Amino acid sequence: MDKKIETCSCNIIHHEIVSEVSSKMPNEETLYDLAEFFKVFGDSTRIRIMCALFEHEMCVCDIAALLNMTQSAVSHQLRVLKQARLVKPRKEGKVVYYSLDDEHIKDIFKEGLEHISEGR
Amino acid sequence: MDKKIETCSCNIIHHEIVSEVSSKMPNEETLYDLAEFFKVFGDSTRIRIMCALFEHEMCVCDIAALLNMTQSAVSHQLRVLKQARLVKPRKEGKVVYYSLDDEHIKDIFKEGLEHISEGR
DNA sequence: ATAATATATGAACAAATATTCATATGTTCA
DNA sequence: TGAACATATGAATATTTGTTCATATATTAT
């Protein structure tokens, strides 16, 4: 029994394909989480932070200097990265050193860089 | 000769690391493009569209029905995906069929799904 | 040609988000 | 204890962005 589609004004052209694909789709929540995860990669400040941390563990102040940004802006973005479990902090006195906390980042970067290098 | 850092109010703690990392960073434009690319993955509608197209080439109307969204909203997002060279259209009469146009998508999805499945 | 259908697109609106500013927290050193 | 410093955070602002609505374009059928 098909669910009523209310928001699409056009006719469904290929019923079979739609229901077949529908049955194979991962659940909504997984796809939402996936989008949330990639959203973290979708900001150049965060990309630059992760890129920097590929080379070295760094403290907030170093990162701010490197990126020529305020300490506050960097701290806010580190929080986003930390919540996504992409970076982890290591406290040493007053100083907090951040490093990458995920082995997928490198591969994801690689794939992304390959894609953009294939662009015209 | 170090550039003057104006926007970081704190002292640079590790000059050497900052300049070493700085020299190894890819250029700004590349990192900006990378963020723009991942931004496309950072929306659940676009994620769902790509996910659907893993299974089948689909027309706009089918996708709209599948996702229970308006044709217009889907069309706008397909445009974004097309501009990012992630999907490609195939026109057949009135109907436009979209399919995936990039072999990296699968790997990127895989990495992302692995990451979120590792969560607590 | 005209009507019907599938898709695309521009403008407007609402929601999300990155940075700034001010300030709080926590640690070290005098 | 108090000053100095590194970092964190809440609120405000400005910008970006996703969806809707109205309408345009393109193709097919009558």
Side-chain angles (χ1 to χ4, degrees):
Chain A
M1 218 159 314
D2 286 338
K3 283 189 198 139
K4 215 187 299 179
I5 306 296
E6 311 204 7
T7 50
C8 178
S9 59
C10 38
N11 304 320
I12 300 175
I13 302 181
H14 310 89
H15 271 287
E16 295 164 28
I17 290 178
V18 171
S19 58
E20 186 199 331
V21 171
S22 183
S23 69
K24 291 187 178 174
M25 293 276 283
N27 68 70
E28 285 281 322
E29 196 197 343
T30 300
L31 296 177
Y32 180 82
D33 291 345
L34 197 57
E36 287 301 302
F37 174 65
F38 288 128
K39 205 170 281 185
V40 179
F41 288 77
D43 174 81
S44 60
T45 295
R46 290 190 293 264
I47 285 284
R48 290 193 299 158
I49 291 174
M50 287 188 274
C51 207
L53 297 184
F54 275 132
E55 305 299 334
H56 251 290
E57 172 187 75
M58 289 180 92
C59 70
V60 180
C61 205
D62 285 353
I63 298 172
L66 174 70
L67 305 186
N68 200 38
M69 294 181 67
T70 64
Q71 172 270 320
S72 179
V74 170
S75 189
H76 277 295
Q77 296 307 333
L78 283 168
R79 187 165 163 276
V80 175
L81 290 164
K82 191 170 62 179
Q83 284 177 338
R85 307 193 324 278
L86 290 168
V87 304
K88 59 172 187 289
R90 177 178 70 83
K91 200 163 188 179
E92 196 172 286
K94 290 183 290 193
V95 183
V96 179
Y97 295 93
Y98 282 89
S99 59
L100 296 181
D101 188 30
D102 187 283
E103 73 285 5
H104 302 108
I105 304 179
K106 218 155 219 155
D107 292 325
I108 292 173
F109 264 62
K110 185 167 97 10
E111 302 284 345
L113 287 167
E114 278 177 25
H115 178 88
I116 62 177
S117 73
E118 289 161 7
R120 62 214 81 279
Chain B
M1 217 157 321
D2 288 336
K3 283 188 197 143
K4 213 187 297 181
I5 307 294
E6 311 203 8
T7 50
C8 177
S9 60
C10 39
N11 304 318
I12 300 174
I13 303 182
H14 311 91
H15 271 286
E16 295 163 28
I17 290 179
V18 171
S19 58
E20 185 200 331
V21 171
S22 183
S23 70
K24 290 187 178 175
M25 293 276 282
N27 68 70
E28 284 282 321
E29 195 197 345
T30 300
L31 296 178
Y32 179 82
D33 290 345
L34 197 56
E36 288 301 303
F37 174 65
F38 288 126
K39 203 169 284 183
V40 180
F41 287 78
D43 174 79
S44 60
T45 296
R46 290 189 294 262
I47 285 284
R48 291 192 298 158
I49 292 174
M50 287 188 274
C51 208
L53 297 183
F54 276 132
E55 306 299 333
H56 252 291
E57 171 188 76
M58 289 179 91
C59 70
V60 180
C61 206
D62 285 353
I63 299 172
L66 174 70
L67 305 186
N68 200 39
M69 294 181 66
T70 64
Q71 171 271 321
S72 179
V74 170
S75 188
H76 277 296
Q77 296 307 334
L78 283 168
R79 187 164 165 273
V80 174
L81 289 164
K82 191 171 61 180
Q83 283 177 340
R85 307 195 321 280
L86 290 169
V87 304
K88 58 173 187 288
R90 178 178 71 82
K91 199 165 186 176
E92 194 172 290
K94 290 183 288 194
V95 183
V96 180
Y97 294 93
Y98 281 89
S99 59
L100 296 181
D101 187 30
D102 188 281
E103 72 287 4
H104 301 108
I105 303 178
K106 219 155 217 155
D107 292 324
I108 293 174
F109 264 61
K110 187 168 89 22
E111 302 283 345
L113 286 168
E114 278 177 24
H115 178 89
I116 63 177
S117 72
E118 289 161 6
R120 73 214 82 277

